[in-house]
Amino acid sequence: MSLAALTGCGKSPVESETDSASQVTAEPTETSKGEEVAINFWHHYNAQSAENETLMNVLIPKFEEENPGIKVNAVSHDWANLHEKILISAQSDTLPDVARLDSAWVPEFEKMGILTALDEEMDDFAEVSGGLLESAMSTAKIGDHYYGLALNTNTKILFYNVQAFKDAGIEPPKTMDEFVDAAKKLSGTNENGQQVWGYNEPALAGWNLCPFIWSMGGSITNEKQTAATGYINSPQTVKAIETLANLYKDGAITGWNSGDIPMTDGFGTGRYMMLLEGPWKVAEMAGAYPDFEYATAGMPAGEGGAVSVLGGEDIAMFNSANKEAAWKFMQFMTGEFAEEEMAKCGQIPVNKEALESETVKAADYAPFLETIKNAKSRPTVACWSEMDSELSTAVTAVMNGEKTAQEAMDELADKFDAMLAE
C-alpha cells in the first residue's frame, strides 16, 4: 500500500538493514529424517522493537527446542527494503525460505511465480488455516489458491472527540447518514475563531476510501476481481464518492491537501472531531496528547453494512524453500503461543484461540477486534498499486470539482478493466 499501505499496516521502519542471524546459530543438526536444516526467515519487525526481541529471544528458541534439527536464521529489513530485496533476490535465486510480507505484496509476488500455493502442497493446510480468522486469510488468497498464512491483522474504527460530541448534543454515529450529519454539525469555527472540521482523512487512496465505498454498498471490482465496470462506477460507489466530495465542499472534511494539519495534531488540539484510524493511533495519542479525551466506535453502517478495511501481514513460503521445515515454522508462528506472545507487543493476532486470551482482551486494540471480523481486504490483484494510484487521482479530481463522481468513476472503470485484463 504506499502511505495508505504504510499507515494501514502500522510500519516501524528501521534505519538500515540488520542481520539478526548472528543471534541464531545455524550449526548442522539432525532432523527426524537425518537431514541437516537451516531456514532463512526475512521480516520487517524493527530491529530494535519489542516484536524483534520476542522473535529472537522467545519464539525462535522455543521453535528450535520443539523442532530439533531445524535452525532459523532471522534477518530484519526495513519495510521498503524488504520488498526490494525480495524482487532482487528472485532474479538471482537467493530468496529466503519464509518471509513476513505486507499483505499488499502477496498478489505481486504470486504473479512472479515465486510463492508456494500452500493449499496445493500442504496436506494439512485446511486444518491449519481453519484456526485463523477468515477475514485475515482472505489477504493471502489469489484466484483459487492460498499463498500464505495470515500472521497479524489490523483495521480502522472511528475515533471521536468526546467533549465536542457532548457539546453538540449528539451520539457517536452508527449509520452513514448519522456520520454525515455529525461531520456537518461538528464543523465550523471554535471559540478561538479557528476553523474546525468534523472529519479528517489524510489521503484519498483505497485504504481510506474503501470503508465508505463498501459500507455504502459499492465495490471496486466484481467478486472474481476480473472486471471493474459496473462496480467501481456503480450507483452505490458513485454515491460514496459524492458523499465525501459534498462534505469537502461544505467544509466538513479535509486532511489530504498539502499544508493541512497532520492527523494526530489536528485531533489532539480539537481541530478534527472524527477520524477513522488503526490501533497505532492509541499509542500515538497517548504519547502526544495523553490528557485528550477521546473514545472509539465501530464503522458507521450504510447500505452494505459496517465494513472497514483490512490491513496486516502474511507469512509466506517461497518455491525454493525447504518446504517441510518452512511449513513447520509457519505453523508455529501462527500458532496460539507465538500469536499471544506477539500480542503482548501490540500485534493483533489472527489465531482464533489467541484472540480469546486475557492478553488480547485487555489490550489497547481490543475495540478493534469486533470490526476486524467483517473487515475486507482491498483487491488481491498484482496491479493493485497502479489501480490505487489511479483511484486517488480520480477522486482528487472529483474533490477539486474538475469532474463529477460519475464521470471520474466511468473513466476509472475503463482503466481498471484494462489493468485487470493484462
Side-chain angles (χ1 to χ4, degrees), residues 22 42 54 75-76 90 128 165 209 242 278 280 288 292 333 369 379 383 394:
S22 61
W42 290 359
T54 295
V75 184
S76 172
V128 174
F165 272 72
L209 300 173
E242 285 178 341
W280 45 86
F292 180 75
M333 288 296 291
L369 300 181
C383 58

Side-chain angles (χ1 to χ4, degrees), residues 151-155 279 339 342-343 346-350 355 365 368-369 372:
L151 184 63
N152 54 268
T153 190
N154 58 63
T155 190
E339 289 270 295
M342 281 299 190
Q347 297 287 309
I348 301 181
V350 297
L355 283 166
Y365 52 71
F368 292 82
L369 300 181
I372 281 172

Side-chain angles (χ1 to χ4, degrees), residues 52-98:
N52 192 61
E53 183 177 347
T54 295
L55 174 70
M56 300 304 299
N57 298 328
V58 179
L59 301 187
I60 288 177
K62 184 170 179 61
F63 172 78
E64 292 178 344
E65 178 184 354
E66 294 179 354
N67 295 272
I70 303 177
K71 293 293 181 180
V72 179
N73 299 327
V75 184
S76 172
H77 296 271
D78 171 88
W79 177 79
N81 287 348
L82 176 58
H83 180 268
E84 185 68 18
K85 181 81 170 178
I86 290 172
L87 293 178
I88 294 172
S89 297
Q91 302 301 316
S92 57
D93 295 323
T94 55
L95 287 165
D97 298 86
V98 183

